[in-house]
Amino acid sequence: MNAPTSPRRGAHASVRHDSAAGHVSGRAVYLDDMPLPTNALHAALVLSPHAHARIRAIDLAAALEVPGVVAAVTAGDIPGVNDIGPILKGEPALAEGVAEYAGHPVAAIAAETLEAAREAAALVAVDWEELPAVLSVEEALAAESFVAPPQVMARGNPEAALGLAPLRLSGEVRCGGQDHFYLEGQIAIAVPGEDRDMQVYSSTQHPTEVQHGVAHLLGLPFAQVTVEVRRMGGAFGGKESQATIIAGIAALLAWKAGRPVKLRLPRDDDMLATGKRHPFLIRYDVGLDADGRLLALDLVLAGDAGNIADLTPAVVARALCHSDNCYWIPDIRVTGLACKTNKVSNTAFRGFGGPQGMFAIEAILDDVARHLKLPLDTVRARNFYGVEANNVTPYGMTVEDNIIERVTGELARSVDLPGWRAAVDAFNASSPVVKKGLATVPVKFGISFNLPTLNQAGALVHVYTDGSVHLNHGGTEMGQGLFVKVAQVVAEAFKIDVDRVRVSATSTAKVPNTSATAASSGSDLNGMAALAAAETIRGRMVEVMAERFGVPAGEVTFDDGRVFARNESLSFGELAQLCWSRRVSLSSTGFYRTPKIHWDAATCTGRPFFYFTYGAAAAEVAIDTLTGELRVLRAELLQDCGNSLNPAIDRGQIEGAFVQGMGWLTSEELWWDDRGRLGTHGPSTYKIPGSRDVPPVFNTRLLADAPNREATVMRSKAVGEPPLMLALSVWLAIRDAVASVGPPGAKVELDAPATPTRVLAAVERVRGGG
Ligand code: MTE
Ligand code: MOS
C-alpha cells in the first residue's frame, strides 16, 4: 500500500503562485538581479526638457570625454529604421529632428559604470528651438490635432430621438490619467552575439514586439533577434509597447559598442519618458423618459493620446465598446477622438479604455438619477440589457451571457444594501462635518483583443522520461499568476500534480509570433494552446499504453499521477519512459485561436468579444467637508470568474485591481506645469494607494456556480482587468457623500481623480445650490 498522499493539485485548485516564496524572500530573479557578463556596460538616457522643440544639433563631445564612456547614440546612428510603432508606422525610439514632449528620449549613453553614463548624459548639449505646444485636450480639439481619425459607433437616429425625448440632460466630466507605478521599472539587457545576432532580456509584456522593434532598429531579420522574459515586477499595460523603447535603445547601444548593455531607468526618467493611462474629456447629451429610461445618447469621448498614436486607436475602440456598460440605449452615437498633444504618449493601462468608457456612462446615469431624485440603482435597473430583447450592444454584438441582474442582486442581498443605506443616512443626519456616501457599480467587460488577429497563442510542452514536464508558452508573467494557471491546466490534462510541471521563461525562440500578454486574455489564450500541446502528447501516450496492455485506447485513463489500463497501471513517469523506449515523441507544440470573433474597425461593428465577464461592487466612503479629505471605509466585491482556474490567484487579482482603480479615481494625480513638464514624477508627489488606504472592511467573493457558457479553458473567465472598474463604486460613493450636503436634485460636479481639492470644490458648489 502506498502512503496516503495529499490530493493532486490541478485546475481550479487554490495553488499558490509559483514564485510566491521567491517574491517574498527576494530570491525571484528580476532583470536587475541577473549577473551581467564582465564586459557589460550601463546606460542612461538624455530626455528633452521641452514639450515641443526642434533639435538643431546634438553635441556629444563633452559626454564622450567622461572617463568610462564607451558609446553614445542619437537617431542618426540607427542602422535600420527608427520605428517601433505598435499600430501605426513611423513612431521613433529616439526623437528625430524634433522632440514632441518633455521627457522624449533624444540620445543615450553607454559607459563602464552607471555613474559615468548618467554624468555623461547630463553633459549632452542639445541646441533647441522651442516650438508652440498643444498641452491639453481642449487645445487639441480646437486645433483639430489628432493622432488618428475619429471612430464613430452609432445605432438608430440619435438626433431625432434626442429631439423627441421627454427629458434631455447634457454635461461634461473628466477622468485623469494614471502612471503604472510597477515596482520594477522599465529595464532591458541587450547582449550582442555572433554574426550580428542580438539577445535581449526585456521586462516586457510583448516579447515579439520587442523582437520586431529591435530588428527594425538594427536592420536585422527577426530570426536574428531573440527576446526573453522570465517575469516582470508588475506591468499593468505599461510594458506592452513602452518596453520596446527601452529594449530598442539598449540594443542600439549594444550594437554600437559591440558589448552587452543594461538600461534601467531611474523612477523619475521612467515616469517622464514612458506613457500612462489616457485621460479623457467626456461630453454628453442624453434623452430620457420620466422614469429615467435612456432613449438616446450622443457621447463624445476625447482621449489625450499624447504625441504619437502608440496603442491609442485600440484604447479608444475599447472605450467606445464599454461606454454602454450594462445598459440598453436604443439610439446612440459615441464618437471617440484620439487627441494629439505634446505630452508623453499614453498607452495601455489595465482596462485599456474600458474604465474610461464606463466612467462616462456611470457619470451620466448618476447625473440622471440625481436630476430625477431617484436612487441610482433604480435608474440602472430600468436600463439593464434584457435577456430576450434589448440585448444588442451599439456595436451590434448580442449579449448572450447576460447575468448582470443575478450579480447585482446577489451582491445587494449579501450586504443588505437597504440596511447599509439607512445606516449611512442616519450617520449623515447626525454628523455635520464628516459625511458618508454609499454607491454600487455593475460591470460588464468584454474579453478578447478588439482586433481579432491578436487572439491567437502558441505553446510548447515537453514530457521527460521521469514524468516531469517542461512548459513554455507565449504569455508573460507579471505577477498576475499566468504561469501557475497554465501549469495547472497542463497538470489537469495529464492528471499529475502541478509541482511536476516546470514553467520556463517566455522566449521568442521557443514560441514565435505571439501577442502581448494583455486584454486579460493571457490564461484564456495560452491555457488553451498549452492544453492543445498536452493533449497531443497524451494521445500518443494513450496509444503506447493501450498497445502495451492490449486494451482499446478508450479504456486508458489518467488519474492521480498514474495511467490505468483495466487492472494494470503505470506511473506517469513509467509510461513516459516506455514511450521513449518505443521511440514515441514526448514533445509537442500547441496552438489556439479564439472562435466566433470578428470586428469591422471602419464601422465599429462586429462581435469583438468571445464573452463578457461581470461583477458588482458596493463601497462606503467618508469625506471631511471642511478639508475634502476622504477615506474608503468599506468595499464589498462580487466578481464572475467562471469556473475559476485558481480562486486564490483570482482573489488577489480582484483585490489588487480594485485598489489600483481606487488610486486612479482618488489620489493619483498627474500634474503638468504650463510648459508641459510633468511635476509628479516620483512617489513623493504622485500618490498611489498605500496599505492604509485599503478599506478596513474589504470583502471579495467569486460568483459561485457560474461556468463560462462559452468553451473557454476549463470554463474559466478572464480576471486581470475587469475588477479595476469595480472601483467606480468608490468614485460614485464620493459623489453621493458630496450630494448629501446639498438640496435633493442638485447636480454633483466632480471629476476624477477626486483629490481633496476637487472634493472640497464639489462640496462648495453643491452647497451653493448645485
Ligand atoms: N497583476 C499583477 N500582479 N501585475 C500586473 O502587471 N497586469 C494586469 C492584470 N493583472 C498585472 C496584473 C493587466 S493590465 C492585464 S491585461 C492582465 O493582468 C494580463 O495578464 P492575464 O491576461 O494573464 O490576466
Ligand atoms: Mo493590460 S492594459 O491589457 O496590459
Side-chain angles (χ1 to χ4, degrees), residues 17 180 182 205 232-238 240 348-352 476-483 485 516-524 526 652-653 657 660 718-721:
H17 194 286
H180 303 85
Y182 21 63
Q205 291 171 254
M232 287 162 273
F236 308 110
E240 188 175 336
F349 196 135
R350 210 169 193 171
F352 204 85
T476 57
E477 177 63 45
M478 57 195 96
Q480 86 277 37
L482 174 65
F483 279 16
K485 282 185 175 180
T517 306
S520 302
S521 55
S523 50
D524 283 24
N526 296 287
Q653 285 291 295
Q660 194 165 43
V719 70
E721 297 166 288

Short mmCIF file of all heavy atoms in Angstrom, two decimals, residues 17 180 182 205 232-238 240 348-352 476-483 485 516-524 526 652-653 657 660 718-721, ligand 1:
data_model
loop_
_atom_site.label_atom_id
_atom_site.label_comp_id
_atom_site.label_asym_id
_atom_site.label_seq_id
_atom_site.Cartn_x
_atom_site.Cartn_y
_atom_site.Cartn_z
N HIS A 17 1.02 31.01 -6.05
CA HIS A 17 1.83 31.50 -7.17
C HIS A 17 3.16 30.76 -7.19
O HIS A 17 3.78 30.56 -6.14
CB HIS A 17 2.06 33.00 -6.99
CG HIS A 17 2.57 33.69 -8.20
ND1 HIS A 17 3.87 33.56 -8.64
CD2 HIS A 17 1.96 34.53 -9.07
CE1 HIS A 17 4.04 34.28 -9.73
NE2 HIS A 17 2.90 34.89 -10.01
N HIS A 180 1.64 53.75 -14.26
CA HIS A 180 1.54 52.33 -13.91
C HIS A 180 2.19 52.02 -12.57
O HIS A 180 1.76 51.14 -11.85
CB HIS A 180 2.17 51.47 -15.00
CG HIS A 180 1.58 51.71 -16.35
ND1 HIS A 180 1.99 52.73 -17.16
CD2 HIS A 180 0.58 51.08 -17.00
CE1 HIS A 180 1.27 52.70 -18.29
NE2 HIS A 180 0.42 51.72 -18.22
N TYR A 182 4.57 50.31 -11.67
CA TYR A 182 5.07 48.96 -11.44
C TYR A 182 6.25 49.07 -10.47
O TYR A 182 7.01 50.05 -10.49
CB TYR A 182 5.53 48.32 -12.75
CG TYR A 182 5.84 49.33 -13.85
CD1 TYR A 182 6.88 50.26 -13.68
CD2 TYR A 182 5.09 49.41 -15.00
CE1 TYR A 182 7.16 51.21 -14.64
CE2 TYR A 182 5.37 50.37 -15.98
CZ TYR A 182 6.42 51.27 -15.78
OH TYR A 182 6.69 52.22 -16.72
N GLN A 205 5.74 42.87 -21.68
CA GLN A 205 4.55 42.04 -21.84
C GLN A 205 4.48 41.50 -23.26
O GLN A 205 3.59 40.71 -23.57
CB GLN A 205 3.29 42.89 -21.60
CG GLN A 205 3.08 43.33 -20.19
CD GLN A 205 1.94 44.34 -20.09
OE1 GLN A 205 2.18 45.53 -19.90
NE2 GLN A 205 0.70 43.89 -20.20
N MET A 232 8.09 39.87 -14.86
CA MET A 232 8.15 41.32 -14.64
C MET A 232 7.71 41.61 -13.22
O MET A 232 6.85 40.91 -12.69
CB MET A 232 7.20 42.04 -15.60
CG MET A 232 7.66 42.06 -17.04
SD MET A 232 6.27 42.44 -18.12
CE MET A 232 5.62 40.80 -18.39
N GLY A 233 8.25 42.67 -12.67
CA GLY A 233 7.79 43.12 -11.35
C GLY A 233 6.64 44.07 -11.51
O GLY A 233 6.69 45.22 -11.11
N GLY A 234 5.58 43.59 -12.14
CA GLY A 234 4.42 44.42 -12.45
C GLY A 234 4.58 45.07 -13.82
O GLY A 234 5.69 45.38 -14.25
N ALA A 235 3.45 45.23 -14.49
CA ALA A 235 3.46 45.83 -15.83
C ALA A 235 2.20 46.67 -16.03
O ALA A 235 2.28 47.84 -16.38
CB ALA A 235 3.53 44.74 -16.89
N PHE A 236 1.03 46.06 -15.84
CA PHE A 236 -0.27 46.75 -15.86
C PHE A 236 -0.57 47.44 -17.18
O PHE A 236 -1.30 48.43 -17.20
CB PHE A 236 -0.36 47.75 -14.68
CG PHE A 236 -0.03 47.13 -13.36
CD1 PHE A 236 1.14 47.46 -12.68
CD2 PHE A 236 -0.88 46.19 -12.79
CE1 PHE A 236 1.45 46.87 -11.47
CE2 PHE A 236 -0.58 45.60 -11.56
CZ PHE A 236 0.59 45.94 -10.90
N GLY A 237 0.03 46.96 -18.26
CA GLY A 237 -0.15 47.60 -19.57
C GLY A 237 1.02 48.51 -19.92
O GLY A 237 1.25 48.81 -21.08
N GLY A 238 1.77 48.92 -18.90
CA GLY A 238 2.87 49.87 -19.11
C GLY A 238 4.08 49.25 -19.79
O GLY A 238 5.01 49.96 -20.19
N GLU A 240 3.55 46.99 -22.36
CA GLU A 240 3.04 46.36 -23.57
C GLU A 240 3.77 46.93 -24.77
O GLU A 240 4.38 46.19 -25.53
CB GLU A 240 1.53 46.56 -23.67
CG GLU A 240 0.94 45.75 -24.83
CD GLU A 240 -0.58 45.82 -24.91
OE1 GLU A 240 -1.24 46.09 -23.90
OE2 GLU A 240 -1.09 45.62 -26.03
N ALA A 348 -1.41 51.49 -23.07
CA ALA A 348 -2.25 50.51 -22.38
C ALA A 348 -2.16 50.69 -20.87
O ALA A 348 -1.08 50.96 -20.33
CB ALA A 348 -1.77 49.09 -22.73
N PHE A 349 -3.28 50.58 -20.20
CA PHE A 349 -3.30 50.51 -18.73
C PHE A 349 -4.56 49.75 -18.32
O PHE A 349 -5.65 50.15 -18.68
CB PHE A 349 -3.28 51.90 -18.10
CG PHE A 349 -2.92 51.90 -16.62
CD1 PHE A 349 -2.03 52.81 -16.11
CD2 PHE A 349 -3.48 50.97 -15.74
CE1 PHE A 349 -1.69 52.80 -14.76
CE2 PHE A 349 -3.15 50.95 -14.40
CZ PHE A 349 -2.25 51.88 -13.91
N ARG A 350 -4.36 48.67 -17.62
CA ARG A 350 -5.42 47.82 -17.05
C ARG A 350 -6.84 48.35 -17.35
O ARG A 350 -7.29 49.31 -16.73
CB ARG A 350 -5.21 47.71 -15.55
CG ARG A 350 -5.71 46.40 -14.97
CD ARG A 350 -5.24 46.24 -13.55
NE ARG A 350 -5.42 44.88 -13.06
CZ ARG A 350 -4.92 44.45 -11.92
NH1 ARG A 350 -4.24 45.24 -11.14
NH2 ARG A 350 -5.11 43.20 -11.53
N GLY A 351 -7.49 47.69 -18.26
CA GLY A 351 -8.82 48.09 -18.68
C GLY A 351 -8.82 48.67 -20.08
O GLY A 351 -9.82 48.60 -20.79
N PHE A 352 -7.69 49.31 -20.46
CA PHE A 352 -7.40 49.67 -21.85
C PHE A 352 -8.53 50.51 -22.47
O PHE A 352 -9.05 50.19 -23.52
CB PHE A 352 -7.21 48.36 -22.64
CG PHE A 352 -6.38 48.48 -23.89
CD1 PHE A 352 -5.01 48.41 -23.84
CD2 PHE A 352 -6.99 48.63 -25.13
CE1 PHE A 352 -4.25 48.49 -25.01
CE2 PHE A 352 -6.25 48.72 -26.30
CZ PHE A 352 -4.87 48.65 -26.25
N THR A 476 3.35 36.09 -20.83
CA THR A 476 4.38 36.56 -19.91
C THR A 476 3.83 36.70 -18.50
O THR A 476 2.64 36.97 -18.31
CB THR A 476 4.94 37.93 -20.36
OG1 THR A 476 3.85 38.86 -20.44
CG2 THR A 476 5.63 37.82 -21.71
N GLU A 477 4.71 36.51 -17.54
CA GLU A 477 4.33 36.57 -16.13
C GLU A 477 4.68 37.95 -15.56
O GLU A 477 5.84 38.37 -15.62
CB GLU A 477 5.06 35.47 -15.35
CG GLU A 477 4.80 35.48 -13.85
CD GLU A 477 3.34 35.20 -13.48
OE1 GLU A 477 2.73 34.29 -14.05
OE2 GLU A 477 2.82 35.92 -12.61
N MET A 478 3.66 38.64 -15.06
CA MET A 478 3.90 39.98 -14.50
C MET A 478 3.42 40.05 -13.06
O MET A 478 3.23 41.14 -12.52
CB MET A 478 3.25 41.04 -15.38
CG MET A 478 1.76 40.86 -15.60
SD MET A 478 1.14 41.88 -16.98
CE MET A 478 1.18 40.70 -18.32
N GLY A 479 3.22 38.87 -12.45
CA GLY A 479 2.70 38.83 -11.08
C GLY A 479 1.26 38.36 -11.03
O GLY A 479 0.75 38.01 -9.97
N GLN A 480 0.62 38.31 -12.22
CA GLN A 480 -0.82 38.00 -12.26
C GLN A 480 -1.12 36.53 -12.07
O GLN A 480 -2.29 36.15 -11.96
CB GLN A 480 -1.42 38.54 -13.57
CG GLN A 480 -1.33 37.60 -14.79
CD GLN A 480 -0.01 37.66 -15.51
OE1 GLN A 480 1.05 37.79 -14.89
NE2 GLN A 480 -0.02 37.56 -16.82
N GLY A 481 -0.08 35.68 -12.10
CA GLY A 481 -0.32 34.25 -11.86
C GLY A 481 -0.62 33.46 -13.11
O GLY A 481 -1.14 32.34 -13.04
N LEU A 482 -0.24 34.00 -14.26
CA LEU A 482 -0.49 33.28 -15.52
C LEU A 482 0.25 31.95 -15.56
O LEU A 482 -0.31 30.93 -15.97
CB LEU A 482 -0.07 34.16 -16.71
CG LEU A 482 -0.14 33.47 -18.07
CD1 LEU A 482 -1.58 33.14 -18.43
CD2 LEU A 482 0.49 34.35 -19.15
N PHE A 483 1.51 31.96 -15.11
CA PHE A 483 2.32 30.74 -15.24
C PHE A 483 1.73 29.60 -14.42
O PHE A 483 1.66 28.46 -14.88
CB PHE A 483 3.77 31.01 -14.82
CG PHE A 483 4.60 31.67 -15.90
CD1 PHE A 483 4.01 32.27 -17.00
CD2 PHE A 483 5.99 31.67 -15.82
CE1 PHE A 483 4.79 32.88 -18.00
CE2 PHE A 483 6.77 32.26 -16.81
CZ PHE A 483 6.17 32.87 -17.90
N LYS A 485 -1.36 29.25 -13.49
CA LYS A 485 -2.65 28.82 -14.06
C LYS A 485 -2.44 27.91 -15.26
O LYS A 485 -3.12 26.88 -15.38
CB LYS A 485 -3.46 30.05 -14.49
CG LYS A 485 -4.14 30.77 -13.36
CD LYS A 485 -5.02 31.88 -13.93
CE LYS A 485 -5.81 32.55 -12.84
NZ LYS A 485 -6.66 33.63 -13.39
N ALA A 516 0.80 40.27 -27.30
CA ALA A 516 1.10 40.77 -25.96
C ALA A 516 0.28 39.98 -24.95
O ALA A 516 -0.82 39.52 -25.25
CB ALA A 516 0.74 42.24 -25.86
N THR A 517 0.83 39.82 -23.76
CA THR A 517 0.01 39.31 -22.67
C THR A 517 -0.78 40.50 -22.17
O THR A 517 -0.25 41.37 -21.47
CB THR A 517 0.87 38.70 -21.56
OG1 THR A 517 1.72 37.74 -22.16
CG2 THR A 517 0.01 38.05 -20.50
N ALA A 518 -2.02 40.57 -22.57
CA ALA A 518 -2.82 41.77 -22.35
C ALA A 518 -4.28 41.41 -22.57
O ALA A 518 -4.60 40.25 -22.85
CB ALA A 518 -2.39 42.88 -23.30
N ALA A 519 -5.12 42.43 -22.43
CA ALA A 519 -6.56 42.26 -22.63
C ALA A 519 -7.12 41.14 -21.74
O ALA A 519 -8.13 40.53 -22.06
CB ALA A 519 -6.89 41.99 -24.10
N SER A 520 -6.44 40.88 -20.64
CA SER A 520 -6.86 39.87 -19.64
C SER A 520 -6.93 38.47 -20.22
O SER A 520 -7.43 37.57 -19.56
CB SER A 520 -8.23 40.21 -19.03
OG SER A 520 -8.19 41.47 -18.43
N SER A 521 -6.46 38.29 -21.44
CA SER A 521 -6.73 37.03 -22.12
C SER A 521 -5.56 36.05 -22.05
O SER A 521 -5.56 35.03 -22.73
CB SER A 521 -7.09 37.31 -23.57
OG SER A 521 -6.06 38.07 -24.16
N GLY A 522 -4.56 36.35 -21.20
CA GLY A 522 -3.38 35.50 -21.11
C GLY A 522 -3.69 34.05 -20.84
O GLY A 522 -3.21 33.15 -21.53
N SER A 523 -4.52 33.79 -19.82
CA SER A 523 -4.78 32.39 -19.48
C SER A 523 -5.77 31.77 -20.46
O SER A 523 -5.66 30.58 -20.78
CB SER A 523 -5.26 32.24 -18.04
OG SER A 523 -6.30 33.12 -17.76
N ASP A 524 -6.72 32.57 -20.98
CA ASP A 524 -7.65 32.03 -21.98
C ASP A 524 -6.87 31.52 -23.20
O ASP A 524 -7.12 30.42 -23.69
CB ASP A 524 -8.60 33.14 -22.47
CG ASP A 524 -9.72 33.45 -21.49
OD1 ASP A 524 -9.55 33.18 -20.30
OD2 ASP A 524 -10.76 33.97 -21.93
N ASN A 526 -3.25 31.27 -23.77
CA ASN A 526 -2.10 30.38 -23.57
C ASN A 526 -2.51 29.10 -22.87
O ASN A 526 -1.91 28.04 -23.11
CB ASN A 526 -1.01 31.11 -22.80
CG ASN A 526 -0.47 32.28 -23.61
OD1 ASN A 526 0.24 32.08 -24.58
ND2 ASN A 526 -0.85 33.49 -23.24
N GLY A 652 -6.67 37.56 -5.44
CA GLY A 652 -5.59 38.56 -5.42
C GLY A 652 -5.74 39.55 -6.56
O GLY A 652 -5.53 40.77 -6.39
N GLN A 653 -6.10 39.05 -7.75
CA GLN A 653 -6.30 39.93 -8.88
C GLN A 653 -7.45 40.91 -8.63
O GLN A 653 -7.36 42.09 -8.96
CB GLN A 653 -6.60 39.10 -10.14
CG GLN A 653 -5.37 38.42 -10.72
CD GLN A 653 -4.41 39.44 -11.30
OE1 GLN A 653 -4.70 40.12 -12.27
NE2 GLN A 653 -3.27 39.58 -10.68
N ALA A 657 -6.76 44.82 -8.35
CA ALA A 657 -7.34 45.67 -9.38
C ALA A 657 -8.23 46.74 -8.76
O ALA A 657 -8.21 47.90 -9.17
CB ALA A 657 -8.16 44.82 -10.37
N GLN A 660 -6.07 49.40 -7.22
CA GLN A 660 -5.45 50.20 -8.28
C GLN A 660 -6.48 51.16 -8.91
O GLN A 660 -6.18 52.31 -9.21
CB GLN A 660 -4.87 49.26 -9.35
CG GLN A 660 -3.93 49.95 -10.31
CD GLN A 660 -3.10 48.96 -11.11
OE1 GLN A 660 -3.62 47.94 -11.57
NE2 GLN A 660 -1.83 49.23 -11.26
N ALA A 718 -11.66 35.26 -17.75
CA ALA A 718 -10.53 36.16 -17.53
C ALA A 718 -10.81 37.07 -16.34
O ALA A 718 -11.96 37.39 -16.05
CB ALA A 718 -10.30 37.00 -18.78
N VAL A 719 -9.75 37.51 -15.67
CA VAL A 719 -9.97 38.28 -14.43
C VAL A 719 -9.04 39.50 -14.30
O VAL A 719 -9.27 40.36 -13.46
CB VAL A 719 -9.79 37.35 -13.20
CG1 VAL A 719 -8.34 36.93 -13.02
CG2 VAL A 719 -10.33 37.99 -11.93
N GLY A 720 -8.01 39.60 -15.12
CA GLY A 720 -6.95 40.60 -14.86
C GLY A 720 -7.40 42.04 -14.77
O GLY A 720 -6.98 42.78 -13.90
N GLU A 721 -8.26 42.45 -15.70
CA GLU A 721 -8.65 43.86 -15.74
C GLU A 721 -10.03 44.17 -15.16
O GLU A 721 -10.21 45.21 -14.52
CB GLU A 721 -8.62 44.36 -17.19
CG GLU A 721 -7.26 44.32 -17.83
CD GLU A 721 -7.35 44.48 -19.34
OE1 GLU A 721 -7.80 43.54 -20.02
OE2 GLU A 721 -7.00 45.55 -19.83
N1 MTE B 1 -1.48 41.67 -11.94
C1 MTE B 1 -0.23 41.90 -11.48
N2 MTE B 1 0.12 41.42 -10.29
N3 MTE B 1 0.67 42.64 -12.20
C2 MTE B 1 0.34 43.17 -13.43
O1 MTE B 1 1.16 43.81 -14.07
N4 MTE B 1 -1.42 43.44 -15.14
C3 MTE B 1 -2.87 43.46 -15.41
C4 MTE B 1 -3.52 42.18 -14.92
N5 MTE B 1 -3.10 41.87 -13.58
C5 MTE B 1 -0.98 42.94 -13.93
C6 MTE B 1 -1.85 42.15 -13.14
C7 MTE B 1 -3.21 43.65 -16.81
S1 MTE B 1 -3.20 45.21 -17.45
C8 MTE B 1 -3.57 42.61 -17.61
S2 MTE B 1 -4.07 42.85 -19.22
C9 MTE B 1 -3.55 41.22 -17.13
O2 MTE B 1 -3.10 41.13 -15.78
C10 MTE B 1 -2.64 40.41 -18.04
O3 MTE B 1 -2.50 39.11 -17.63
P1 MTE B 1 -3.58 37.96 -17.92
O4 MTE B 1 -4.06 38.16 -19.32
O5 MTE B 1 -2.82 36.74 -17.73
O6 MTE B 1 -4.67 38.17 -16.93
#
